[in-house]
Amino acid sequence: MTQACHSIIIVGWDLHSGMRLIRNDGHSDYPETLGKFLDFLARKKKGLKIYLLCWDFAMIYALEREFFPRYKLKWRTHENIHFCLDGEHPVGASQHQKVVVIDDALAFSGGFDLSKWRWDTSSHKLEDKRRVDPAGKNYPPFHDIQMMVDAEAAAALGEMVRNRWQRACGETLPGKDTQDSSTPWPDSISPDFTDISVAISRTLPQHKDHEAVREVEQLYLDSIIAAKELIYCENQYLSSYRIGEAIGNSLEKKTGPEIVMVLPYKTGGWLEQHTMDVLRGRIMVKLRQADRHNRLSIYYPQLSVNPEVHLMVHAKVMIIDDRFVRVGSSNLSNRSLGLDSECDLAVSAAGEQDSAAIASFRNRLLAEHLGRSKEEVENALHDQKGFIEAIESLRRESGDRTLMPLDCSIDKELDQLVPESRLLDPEKPIEPEEFFDYLVKPEHQRPAYRHSIKIIAMILTILLFAALWRWTPLNNYLTIASVIEFAGKLKANPFSPVLVPLVYVALGILSFPVTLIIMATIVVYGPLWGGGYALAGTVMSAATLFFIGRFLGKNIVRKLSGSLINSINQYLSQAGLTAVIVFRIIPIAPFSLINLIAGISAIRLRDFLLGTLIGILPGIIAIALVADRLSQSLRQPDIMNFSILTAVIVSLGIGLFGLRKWIKRRHTKTQQQHG
């Protein structure tokens, strides 16, 4: 970037202004962090334009990302630095390309973001004082790969990122300066290939007027089919069922390539470990079953045993037969093949010299993971019959730093909790109708709407009585003071934490509407304590009825509940935790009835209680808003409180009206399709 004359374009999944680019102890003439470094370049070089395009990220990544990046990378920098957040993608998708283009003459593409947890060296020292985030906190060792290209390949990437900028920001960037033919290739880097063609493969989802592009997927499938001797792969994920099928088909053949995959021990944080790791395990089980001829080995890099440290593999690399190599941003996941935007670069060997360069690159990666020299890897490959045998021979003689076989087993309980991959790792945008049909079966949608109407009717009835009491002679018999006095006595009762949940249990057995109980609790105890009591009482009531249902058995509960039991029972038994959460959020049947049916289903008590806790919480929060506004309106009947209360009720009504129209339209469409 210090050699740039006209333009620097950076496109990333994440950009962090505090990312330290320079981490050596020696003195540097340049600022160390990304934001200040770019600002320095823009001020030093008058004609240099810098464009930064970053994914307009989902809130789930908020703790990993920089707050207010627009402020730090645009408003606090030189006017020649232009920053834009890329939100031009379907719901649930991301801008996942990681590309840097300098003067349209040099470009980088691969797995690296200029983010806070990316920097490391290939030695991956357990304690490296330089491996710290912008806040000065250490993070674990990290492995990633980027490809650097120049000439026409760089110009093509420049055109690609300009098109992306146009789509995301609505602005047309100036093109390449055709008068300047110089290239800023760094003197410190020796190229692995010269005078060779570079392929660019992309994933772009269908969005608005833009058609889908699935070049990444096609190149993966074509490469796996074409492999004859070896497939070497490094990737963060393994959750694409299409990739899994292609590898499985290759393994089932009597003769075919050896397949070596290097994956992380765990994919990331708690959420990914309990979702993406499960999807990975399901595919690995199928691959093990298909590996009848023992041609598959899946490893993770281990750096130390005591303390236990594993290398985070973020690289996206595939090497085929020493004749083909690709480096990019795409994971072996469904979303990388069809939902996110991706960019991979690939090179196909034109001769023996190119093949030797690909083999050298692969051997250097193996040496890094095994803690050996590249020469030791080459000697083992020469002495052993196969690629996997060579790795195993080196593993037997390695120390703590080595490649370890990755266990593909999945905890059965966790496997039952995690839904199918099309929801966690979709390959295309999920339409709202499809998602709703998955959560609530079409035959349950109308009962869900009707039950929601009953809940709203109960709330409106309470409001009606409240209005009559406030503005009619009824208020002579019951005063605000007496209500407050009664509520105060309940609050002051030292046995409230025990009595309130017991009331929930008793009224639940009598099938009293749980919505009314929650409203009463919150009115008396307030939103905070009332919400806590309501949550505890609801879970206790649900557990009690669960055990009652289990004690009574299917025959008795079936007589009490009618034909609805069969479909609900089946869904609870199959979907488990997911079904309970859905039934709590979208009430297709009375609360007590769901609890009884759960008791006779195959769902475990732990899943039932956890699903109840998660699913009932949004409803309690919503009821708290209504109840709190109602209470405030009665205590202070001014225009502000009644306006807020009215707005809440109207919003609920509009939502239900929209739900009714949508379900009716869906029902009509389904009837027409089956008619």
Side-chain angles (χ1 to χ4, degrees), residues 303-446:
L303 296 177
S304 172
V305 175
N306 188 20
E308 185 178 1
V309 180
H310 311 117
L311 180 61
M312 177 58 200
V313 177
H314 195 261
K316 300 93 167 59
V317 176
M318 181 172 281
I319 299 173
I320 307 291
D321 295 341
D322 293 345
R323 304 290 301 175
F324 174 87
V325 57
R326 74 184 290 167
V327 173
S329 66
S330 68
N331 292 304
L332 298 181
S333 62
N334 294 325
R335 62 184 307 118
S336 278
L337 304 189
L339 184 60
D340 294 340
S341 61
E342 305 283 5
C343 176
D344 291 4
L345 302 183
V347 169
S348 181
E352 293 303 319
Q353 184 175 354
D354 295 337
S355 293
I358 294 174
S360 176
F361 170 56
R362 181 205 62 212
N363 294 341
R364 183 159 60 91
L365 291 175
L366 276 177
E368 178 179 331
H369 295 319
L370 289 164
R372 312 298 284 266
S373 68
K374 191 175 74 168
E375 289 72 24
E376 288 178 300
V377 172
E378 291 171 348
N379 291 335
L381 290 172
H382 180 269
D383 295 339
Q384 303 297 328
K385 294 181 179 180
F387 193 80
I388 295 176
E389 286 187 12
I391 294 176
E392 290 298 316
S393 69
L394 292 169
R395 285 187 60 247
R396 287 192 293 268
E397 302 171 2
S398 295
D400 288 356
R401 182 168 180 173
T402 186
L403 287 172
M404 296 293 293
L406 183 63
D407 185 11
C408 64
S409 61
I410 315 171
D411 181 79
K412 291 183 178 180
E413 295 183 355
L414 183 59
D415 191 23
Q416 292 177 352
L417 295 179
V418 176
E420 56 192 275
S421 62
R422 69 187 179 99
L423 289 181
L424 290 178
D425 182 27
E427 64 170 339
K428 62 180 181 179
I430 299 178
E431 297 297 330
E433 292 87 351
E434 182 182 358
F435 185 71
F436 191 70
D437 284 348
Y438 176 82
L439 292 179
V440 184
K441 304 305 179 185
E443 61 270 20
H444 295 160
Q445 291 171 9
R446 287 195 168 187

Side-chain angles (χ1 to χ4, degrees), residues 150 193-197 350 354:
D150 66 1
F193 307 95
T194 56
D195 300 321
I196 194 169
S197 296
D354 295 337

Side-chain angles (χ1 to χ4, degrees), residues 580-646:
V580 178
I581 295 174
V582 170
F583 289 158
R584 296 312 187 202
I585 296 176
I586 307 173
I588 71 166
F591 180 79
S592 298
L593 178 58
I594 293 292
N595 299 332
L596 283 172
I597 297 175
I600 66 168
S601 72
I603 190 174
R604 294 167 302 176
L605 176 63
R606 186 186 69 177
D607 296 344
F608 173 72
L609 294 180
L610 182 60
T612 298
L613 186 67
I614 296 172
I616 204 69
L617 190 58
I620 290 177
I621 294 173
I623 293 172
L625 289 174
V626 176
D628 184 56
R629 286 299 97 199
L630 173 61
S631 177
Q632 290 296 324
S633 299
L634 294 176
R635 287 186 172 93
Q636 296 178 336
D638 55 31
I639 188 66
M640 177 61 71
N641 282 322
F642 276 109
S643 298
I644 296 175
L645 178 62
T646 302

Side-chain angles (χ1 to χ4, degrees), residues 194-205:
T194 56
D195 300 321
I196 194 169
S197 296
V198 178
I200 301 175
S201 59
R202 304 161 298 158
T203 296
L204 296 172

